[in-house]
């Protein structure tokens, strides 16, 4: 948990006002995915757009990776019940992973574990939570492999 907090703090210290706005937009998108609701294609598209906009710098995740994360995240959150604080933390954690090209692997792994803990504690199905952590792991690996 300490490593996840350190990674979030490091990223927040480097965020531009636009990047902070992008994290807030992701949080708003997550808020729209209510437990027991039917997720619309426009919600999935907006979530995908928000995820894409989080990535700063020259190394960005592939559209396929972002699309997979968006799809799994929207399905899982329609089954869960995240508090406002969990939405904020989840948004920040995802932002760390989307910008993980030059972050130590141990910190990225801690953040991904934190995402899984948040999802499971908010009643997201464990299999769905594991799909999301796998998506995040794939994005982190992709970014770190392609980092200059």
């Amino acid at each position: 948990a300490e490593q996840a907090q350190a990674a979030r703090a490091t990223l927040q210290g480097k965020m531009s006002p636009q990047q902070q706005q992008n994290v807030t937009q992701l949080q708003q998108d997550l808020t729209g995915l209510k437990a027991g609701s039917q997720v619309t294609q426009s919600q999935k598209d907006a979530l995908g757009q928000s995820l894409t906009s989080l990535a700063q710098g020259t190394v960005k995740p592939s559209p396929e990776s972002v699309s997979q994360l968006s799809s799994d995240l929207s399905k899982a959150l329609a089954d869960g019940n995240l508090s406002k604080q969990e939405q904020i933390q989840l948004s920040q954690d995802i932002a760390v992973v989307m910008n993980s090209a030059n972050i130590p692997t141990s910190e990225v792994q801690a953040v991904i574990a934190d995402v899984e803990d948040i999802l499971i504690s908010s009643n997201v199905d464990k299999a769905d939570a594991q799909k999301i952590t796998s998506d995040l792991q794939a994005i982190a690996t992709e970014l770190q492999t392609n980092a200059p």
Side-chain angles (χ1 to χ4, degrees), residues 21-35 37-54 66 70 73-75 77-78 82 84 87-88 90-91 94:
Q21 190 176 340
N22 293 343
V23 172
T24 301
Q25 182 59 52
L26 174 61
Q27 182 193 333
Q28 290 171 352
D29 292 342
L30 297 178
T31 302
L33 302 172
K34 300 277 188 234
S37 67
Q38 185 65 40
V39 179
T40 66
Q41 188 59 49
S42 66
Q43 283 176 304
K44 283 184 190 178
D45 293 345
L47 181 59
Q49 189 117 27
S50 293
L51 290 167
T52 299
S53 70
L54 287 176
V66 174
S70 174
L73 202 53
S74 57
K75 179 185 181 301
L77 295 185
L82 270 71
K84 186 164 183 68
Q87 290 167 359
I88 291 167
L90 185 61
S91 298
I94 292 171

Side-chain angles (χ1 to χ4, degrees), residues 70-118:
S70 174
S71 178
D72 290 341
L73 202 53
S74 57
K75 179 185 181 301
L77 295 185
D79 295 336
N81 192 12
L82 270 71
S83 69
K84 186 164 183 68
Q85 185 56 44
E86 287 169 331
Q87 290 167 359
I88 291 167
Q89 197 168 337
L90 185 61
S91 298
Q92 292 171 345
D93 284 349
I94 292 171
V96 169
V97 175
M98 298 299 274
N99 292 285
S100 61
N102 297 306
I103 296 176
T105 305
S106 60
E107 288 184 16
V108 176
Q109 295 307 318
V111 168
I112 291 172
D114 192 52
V115 167
E116 186 170 22
D117 291 346
I118 291 168

